[in-house]
Amino acid sequence: MVDIDKAKQEDALLYSSILEEPDVIVLETCPECIIQDVSAIDIYEGNIYILDDKVPALYVFRRDGSFLRQIGHQGRGHGEYWELSDFSIDRENGVIYLWDDALDMAHKYDLRTNGYISSIKTKRNGYRSYSMLYLGGKLYVDRTSLDADSENYLLKEIDGKTGTQIASCLKADDYNRGWNFPLRLPFSFFYSKNTDAPKYVELFSDTIMAVTKEGIKPYCVVKSEDFVSKKRMKKLISDCGTGEEFNYNVSDLHEEDCIFCISRFVELDGMVSFQYRKGDEIMYLLHDVKTKETWVAPSFKDDYLFENNNIPLDMCYSDEEGVLSVLSVDFIPYFIEDVIDKGHLNPKIDEYEKLMGIKGDSNPVLFFHKYKSRSK
C-alpha cells in the first residue's frame, strides 16, 4: 500500500537522488519520421519503438537515435492499419501487435523481418477501445461505453488467435467508482509492458492492478482521505449523461481538492513512481518498495540537465538497467527558449553539442538514466 497522506512533502523530486547522469538520445529528424506525439514507447533488442497516434505510425530507432524504419503503413489494403492508439511486443517470439482502435483490430508484424503476419479482428461491444496489451497468448483491451449498461466492465480478455472474447474483467462500479466513459491519457492505461506482470490503472481507481498469466490481481492500493469518493463520482457520472447526450467534462474535479488520475506509472530499481492529480495540480510520487517510504512533490526534475526549470521530462519506460524520460515535441520550443538560449543547459552533459543543436521542429529527445547503486 502507498499512503499519500503519510508521504514526505518535498519541493521537488530529483533524478539525481536515484539515477545516474543520463545518456542523451536525440532522435533523428527526417522526412520519413516526423513525430508529432509520443503516445507509446518501448525498447526491444536495443531498438526504440515509438508510436505516434496523430500520424499515425510506429517508428523504430536505433539506440543512438538514428532512424531505422517504420512498421506498416496507414491504408485500407492488406496488412495496413487505419488508426493506431497502442502497441504491445511479444518479446518471446519477436512479434509486435499494433492496436487499430478504428477497426477494433490488432495487426501483427514480425520484428526480425519487418513483415506483416496477420490481423486479429475483435468484436466491439461498447464504445472505442484505446489501450491494448499482449500477454501469454491473450490480448487485453480496455472497454468504454456511452451508456450505463449492465455490462459495465473495463477490460476485455481476448483469445490471441481467434479474436474471441473469453472474459470480462474489472467491473466499473467496483474498480473505477462507476466511471466507464471514454477519456484518454497521453500514454496507455497499461504500464511495465516489458515485464512478466504489466500494470493497469484507470482514471478514478485507487488500485494499480497486475496483469499476469494466472489472471488480473491487485498490485498496489493508493490510500488517501482526499481520493475522489464514489459519491462524488456518482454525481459526476449523472452530470455527464449517457448516450447521445453524453458529455465527459470532468473539469469540475480540477477545482476541487480531491485526488484522482494515477498515471505515468514506472517500476524503478526497488521503487515505483507515478503521477496523480490533486485538483488542478499534477503531483509526482516516489515510493520505496522495501522501506515503504514515500515522497510527493509538484515536480520531478532532471537536475543533471538544468536547475530551476519546470519543463516536464516525464518517465515513460523502465527496465532492469534504467529509466527513459522524454522531452516531447510540445515542450521543445520552451526548452530552446528557457534552457538553451538562456545558457542553463549543463555543458558537461552527454551529447551536449547535439542537444544544443535541436530546433523547434525537431523530433523528441530521450534521456536514459541508469540506476544508482542502492548500496551507496
Side-chain angles (χ1 to χ4, degrees), residues 305-324:
L305 299 178
F306 48 73
E307 295 182 1
N308 302 321
N309 198 289
N310 292 321
I311 294 175
L313 299 173
D314 292 333
M315 297 180 184
C316 55
Y317 168 90
S318 64
D319 56 27
E320 64 279 357
E321 183 182 1
V323 60
L324 194 70

Side-chain angles (χ1 to χ4, degrees), residues 323-370:
V323 60
L324 194 70
S325 61
V326 58
L327 173 63
S328 68
V329 292
D330 291 340
F331 289 101
I332 285 179
Y334 302 103
F335 185 83
I336 294 172
E337 179 181 355
D338 296 337
V339 178
I340 293 178
D341 290 349
K342 293 181 179 180
H344 293 163
L345 184 65
N346 182 359
K348 297 180 180 179
I349 201 70
D350 168 60
E351 298 283 4
Y352 171 78
E353 294 298 334
K354 187 180 287 187
L355 194 52
M356 286 288 290
I358 64 172
K359 300 178 181 179
D361 58 354
S362 292
N363 271 339
V365 179
L366 307 177
F367 304 92
F368 191 82
H369 294 261
K370 293 182 179 179

Side-chain angles (χ1 to χ4, degrees), residues 80 98-107 116 119-122:
E80 296 178 326
L98 307 188
W99 179 250
D100 190 329
D101 59 286
L103 302 178
D104 294 285
M105 187 177 292
H107 305 283
Y116 169 73
S119 295
I120 305 167
K121 177 64 178 175
T122 70

Side-chain angles (χ1 to χ4, degrees), residues 143-157:
R143 176 188 181 273
T144 59
S145 176
L146 298 182
D147 300 293
D149 54 34
S150 59
E151 293 187 332
N152 197 15
Y153 61 91
L154 298 162
L155 274 184
K156 299 187 285 188
E157 183 179 307

Side-chain angles (χ1 to χ4, degrees), residues 18-80:
I18 57 172
L19 302 170
E20 299 284 0
E21 182 177 317
D23 296 328
V24 178
I25 307 170
V26 180
L27 297 179
E28 178 185 355
T29 305
C30 61
E32 293 77 24
C33 61
I34 303 296
I35 297 177
Q36 300 179 36
D37 180 57
V38 178
S39 53
I41 192 166
D42 203 346
I43 298 177
Y44 175 68
E45 292 190 343
N47 291 328
I48 302 169
Y49 293 78
I50 294 179
L51 173 65
D52 184 343
D53 63 354
K54 291 183 178 179
V55 174
L58 194 289
Y59 299 119
V60 187
F61 294 83
R62 298 181 181 89
R63 192 61 175 262
D64 63 3
S66 58
F67 177 63
L68 187 59
R69 62 179 179 270
Q70 178 178 336
I71 296 180
H73 291 86
Q74 186 180 37
R76 292 292 193 178
H78 181 70
E80 296 178 326

Side-chain angles (χ1 to χ4, degrees), residues 71-72 79-81 94-96 98 107-111 115-117:
I71 296 180
E80 296 178 326
Y81 45 75
V95 173
I96 190 169
L98 307 188
H107 305 283
K108 296 170 57 178
Y109 298 85
D110 190 314
L111 292 182
Y116 169 73
I117 300 174

